[in-house]
Amino acid sequence: MAHLITRRRALVTTAAGVAAAAAPFGFARGQQKTPVGMQLVLAADTSLSVVEERYRMQMDGYLEAFQSNKLLQAIRGLEPPSLAVMFVTWGTKPRVLVPWTLLSGKASVAAFCGHFAAQAASRPSSGIYTRIDNLMRFCITQFDQEYIGGRRVLDVSGDGGNSGGPASHAGLKRAKDALVASGVTINGLPILVVPPAFISPAQPPEGLDVYYREHVVGGVGRFMISSQGFEDFPRAILAKLVAEIA
């Protein structure tokens, strides 16, 4: 693609320019809720095991995916042809990197990419642990706040199982069940780290893909695409988003 937005370009954008770029986003605050074809929360793992290089691979992968014509075509296939998306980073606690944003065409997608690149240029602090339960508990209240209608989907990507003892694991099940009961579909993108690559703490012995299938994904139409290491993340997230939205 001819004019891809990069983090470096985003860093030199003036504050006024960022504000101007945000204008086409279609934020619905203070307005009547806008009907959309889909509500999507993207949740990216930024816990301690996601070192700086791995964080950059994830953010670059998301940015490249949103600049793909395949993704734009998928959005245009929604009914109505609009996607409400919120981007969250998570570790011990979730943190909203980009609030609910309406994507309906090239201009709004380009504005989103510029804002995302600027926000992702500095790694957010979300805590050191991998608390999927806290992420899901947070997301229970996030849907149907500014936009309404369409499928409601939480897309969780991460490199480990839920941290903590029995209480946190029980909390994960309760939060997952609550999301599914409210009609939210939870999809997964486990990042499989295998030797010689190293990760600490180690991934679940049964395999992170198995763990996600049994403890993370849920709801009608749920599915999962694995990333074979962080290097494979750009391929995996593009395939995931296109399949998720289409």
Side-chain angles (χ1 to χ4, degrees), residues 20-227:
F25 278 14
F27 293 126
R29 292 190 180 92
Q31 304 174 9
Q32 186 175 1
K33 294 177 183 179
T34 302
V36 293
M38 181 179 182
Q39 300 174 56
L40 175 63
V41 175
L42 294 172
D45 184 357
T46 55
S47 59
L48 185 63
S49 57
V50 182
V51 296
E52 184 68 20
E53 181 182 8
R54 290 171 173 174
Y55 170 76
R56 295 300 170 195
M57 288 179 185
Q58 285 188 96
M59 297 303 106
D60 287 346
Y62 280 109
L63 189 56
E64 291 171 13
F66 271 96
Q67 294 177 93
S68 167
N69 283 328
K70 292 180 180 179
L71 192 65
L72 183 58
Q73 290 302 317
I75 293 172
R76 287 172 172 166
L78 293 171
E79 183 56 46
S82 57
L83 170 70
V85 61
M86 179 170 72
F87 196 96
V88 176
T89 59
W90 62 279
T92 306
K93 295 181 179 180
R95 179 181 184 275
V96 176
L97 192 72
V98 180
W100 283 112
T101 303
L102 183 65
L103 306 183
S104 58
K106 286 185 178 180
S108 56
V109 170
F112 171 84
C113 288
H115 189 58
F116 173 82
Q119 294 299 108
S122 298
R123 179 187 173 123
S125 176
S126 302
I128 65 174
Y129 297 108
T130 310
R131 293 296 299 269
I132 308 173
D133 58 325
N134 288 342
L135 167 68
M136 289 191 181
R137 195 174 297 113
F138 167 79
C139 288
I140 290 170
T141 61
Q142 298 306 306
F143 294 94
D144 295 331
Q145 297 301 305
E146 302 184 29
Y147 300 95
I148 195 167
R151 289 174 288 134
R152 294 175 295 160
V153 176
L154 168 60
D155 183 324
V156 182
S157 67
D159 70 355
N162 200 48
S163 299
S168 68
H169 291 288
L172 172 59
K173 184 181 186 306
R174 286 194 299 270
K176 172 185 170 180
D177 289 347
L179 277 168
V180 171
S182 70
V184 174
T185 297
I186 308 165
N187 295 330
L189 198 163
I191 304 170
L192 311 181
V193 179
V194 297
F198 175 77
I199 188 169
S200 179
Q203 295 187 331
E206 69 270 28
L208 188 60
D209 51 348
V210 175
Y211 181 92
Y212 262 59
R213 188 175 298 113
E214 294 181 351
H215 302 291
V216 178
V217 301
V220 177
R222 64 190 179 276
F223 77 102
M224 188 181 75
I225 291 179
S226 299
S227 176

